[in-house]
Amino acid sequence: MDHEVSSSALGAVGAAGLSPLDLFLHASIVVKLVMLGLLLCSAGVWAIIAEKIILIRRVNREATEFEDRFWSGGSLDDLYESDGARPTHPMAAVFGAAMGEWRRSARIGGIDLSRGGVRERVDRAIDITIMRENDRLTRRLIFLATIGPVAPFVGLFGTVWGIMHSFASIAQMHNTNLSVVAPGISEALFATAIGLVTAIPAYIAYNGLSNSFEKFADRMEAFGTEFAAILSRQSEERADDTTGGKA
């Protein structure tokens, strides 16, 4: 009867328990370490997902509020003093970088604000600020991009190790009953399941969040382009007024 799947063997498996906690407690030390590592990664994944969802909603809301103030027709200098000088969100940082560069150029005596050098410095300030803010917003997304493809393989390693452990038990006990084989295989498959549960949210969240942050970067670029055009137009108007005054 040693080589048959008997009712007593099935009863032994049931007694051992197949709950997640039982599978973890009865796993070998290597499989336990794999499971713990994956669970820690899963906790990190969900923490980053929650943080980034809150962040992208907040920066979009702040950008909308700022753009409403920007296009309300108020003084750009007043807006710079209230929002741009010490920006608290990315859109204000883009505005502050461009406006700050333009004001510094305007303080240089005898400079022509409409010339290409000033426009290039303003555009460069906008581009650098957008790049810096985008890097800050997408920080730690690389963790999701790494966990997505790696976690299943880590879980698979736990699976392979668990199955090897089961075969070793069979060899030592000279017994192929289900009570001998099932626990190790269950532990092994549980490691794979944890790997998938960790990887799937990470992969989905990375794609979704990356798309959201790319859209916000495009929004900053669009605003920066519009604002640079406004500054260029004002520079040309100033140049025309100065030329007219001299004439």
Side-chain angles (χ1 to χ4, degrees), residues 3 77 83 147 180:
H3 298 282
D77 289 323
D83 291 62
I147 292 299
V180 176

Side-chain angles (χ1 to χ4, degrees), residues 90-180:
M91 196 68 80
V94 174
F95 168 78
M99 190 69 178
E101 181 59 41
W102 189 76
R103 291 179 67 168
R104 284 190 293 272
S105 298
R107 286 196 294 266
I108 301 175
I111 191 171
D112 182 5
L113 292 175
S114 62
R115 69 182 186 177
V118 176
R119 292 196 299 270
E120 290 176 1
R121 287 197 297 272
V122 170
D123 290 339
R124 192 179 306 115
I126 291 173
D127 292 340
I128 292 173
T129 303
I130 291 174
M131 185 182 304
R132 182 175 62 247
E133 292 297 323
N134 192 53
D135 288 342
R136 183 179 63 83
L137 292 174
T138 58
R139 192 178 302 156
R140 289 189 292 275
L141 278 187
I142 189 65
F143 181 76
L144 301 183
T146 303
I147 292 299
V150 170
F153 290 101
V154 176
L156 182 60
F157 169 75
T159 298
V160 172
W161 190 273
I163 292 175
M164 290 172 58
H165 186 70
S166 297
F167 287 147
S169 299
I170 293 173
Q172 290 174 1
M173 300 179 65
H174 303 288
N175 192 336
T176 58
N177 279 343
L178 191 61
S179 59
V180 176

